[in-house]
Amino acid sequence: MKSVRAKVITAAVIAAVAATLAAGLYLVYGRERGNHGVKLDTARFPIRGIDISAHNGTIDFDKVADDDIEFVLIKATEGGTFKDSRFHDNYRRARDAGLRLGAYHFFRFDVDGEMQGLNFVHSVRGKRLDLPLIIDIEEYNNARNVPTDTIISRLGRMLSHVEREGYRVMLYTNKNGLTRFLRGRFGGYPLWICSFTDPPIAGEGRWTMWQYSHWGRVEGCNGVVDLNTFNGDSAAWRRHIAITQ
């Protein structure tokens, strides 16, 4: 009986220690993921924004605006047919809250580029956007085993269609996508870079927006949200908006 009791106590102690370690690791790792090692210099980058999709649920954009957020980038479409279920409502309510707005499309490697352009333009037509239309180009959650040349060709077709419709374009990617798809190509487009290092692209100044966290906390948003900043001060931001419009 004593042996059984000792085993139970030992097991309980081990479980408690494991739980404590797990909680500690969560706090450390969670905090690390909260800023991904990036401490944003808000004096240098005073213009902050978030990017959202239907996955973020219902957002109180008035509270977002009160939390020193200047702009919202809203998912509109994906591939040739998918339309984000909250795009139109997010657009309307964010506009009513006085936020600057942009719309983005998740580019599918396995779908014809012109079809993707048609889908994107159809969803944003008639809306007043303050930023260029954004094409999100990344390997995560995308089709595999599509040749790079094919992806680049399809992206070119999408860009051509969107521009023929009279829209400016910005490209979003991370460091892997920058190397694989954009470096040496599409040099005339503003870049929205996802990076968890500071500076986001060592040795390169060719970026307009910087997504510096996937784990931000903003009033009005349930759970974590992506955080972004603009590459410039308030005066540069006003000039950028004026050019886009």
Side-chain angles (χ1 to χ4, degrees):
M1 181 67 70
K2 185 176 180 180
S3 176
V4 172
R5 183 182 299 168
K7 288 180 179 179
V8 170
I9 292 172
T10 300
V13 169
I14 291 172
V17 170
T20 301
L21 287 172
L25 286 171
Y26 175 82
L27 287 172
V28 172
Y29 184 56
R31 189 178 299 115
E32 198 171 283
R33 294 187 77 181
N35 58 29
H36 292 269
V38 176
K39 181 175 176 56
L40 189 70
D41 183 352
T42 55
R44 184 181 178 192
F45 302 113
I47 307 299
R48 294 197 310 142
I50 59 174
D51 61 275
I52 60 168
S53 70
H55 295 296
N56 295 99
T58 301
I59 296 172
D60 186 330
F61 289 103
D62 290 317
K63 289 184 178 179
V64 169
D66 288 341
D67 199 15
D68 199 28
I69 295 297
E70 176 76 16
F71 64 91
V72 181
L73 309 174
I74 308 171
K75 183 174 182 179
T77 49
E78 178 175 333
T81 58
F82 178 85
K83 296 182 184 298
D84 189 278
S85 61
R86 289 185 180 268
F87 173 61
H88 299 292
D89 186 56
N90 280 336
Y91 167 85
R92 177 183 57 80
R93 292 188 300 105
R95 176 60 72 199
D96 288 345
L99 291 155
R100 296 292 190 173
L101 302 183
Y104 72 91
H105 169 95
F106 186 85
F107 182 79
R108 299 292 311 179
F109 296 166
D110 53 349
V111 178
D112 174 74
E114 187 150 5
M115 287 297 298
Q116 298 195 61
L118 282 164
N119 187 26
F120 195 14
V121 169
H122 179 265
S123 284
V124 302
R125 182 173 282 123
K127 289 182 166 52
R128 181 166 59 90
L129 298 169
D130 304 294
L131 295 162
L133 296 190
I134 301 160
I135 303 176
D136 175 350
I137 311 145
E138 56 184 307
E139 296 167 318
Y140 178 74
N141 204 30
N142 216 320
R144 298 185 179 276
N145 303 317
V146 181
T148 299
D149 287 347
T150 300
I151 295 168
I152 291 167
S153 175
R154 287 172 176 163
L155 176 58
R157 284 173 59 82
M158 182 177 184
L159 286 166
S160 294
H161 179 85
V162 172
E163 291 177 318
R164 282 199 306 271
E165 294 290 332
Y167 293 95
R168 295 175 180 267
V169 178
M170 178 186 294
L171 302 178
Y172 167 95
T173 195
N174 52 30
K175 291 182 179 180
N176 288 341
L178 180 66
T179 299
R180 181 180 176 190
F181 307 118
L182 303 185
R183 185 161 285 151
R185 311 177 186 94
F186 309 114
Y189 296 96
L191 176 66
W192 174 19
I193 186 71
C194 171
S195 172
F196 307 128
T197 62
D198 186 6
I201 315 174
E204 293 189 36
R206 190 182 76 84
W207 62 272
T208 300
M209 297 285 190
W210 173 18
Q211 185 184 76
Y212 62 92
S213 177
H214 286 326
W215 294 78
R217 293 283 181 178
V218 172
E219 290 296 324
C221 297
N222 296 317
V224 296
V225 66
D226 294 341
L227 297 178
N228 303 270
T229 190
F230 171 72
N231 190 8
D233 59 16
S234 298
W237 171 249
R238 289 191 295 271
R239 290 194 297 270
H240 180 74
I241 294 298
I243 291 170
T244 301
Q245 293 175 330

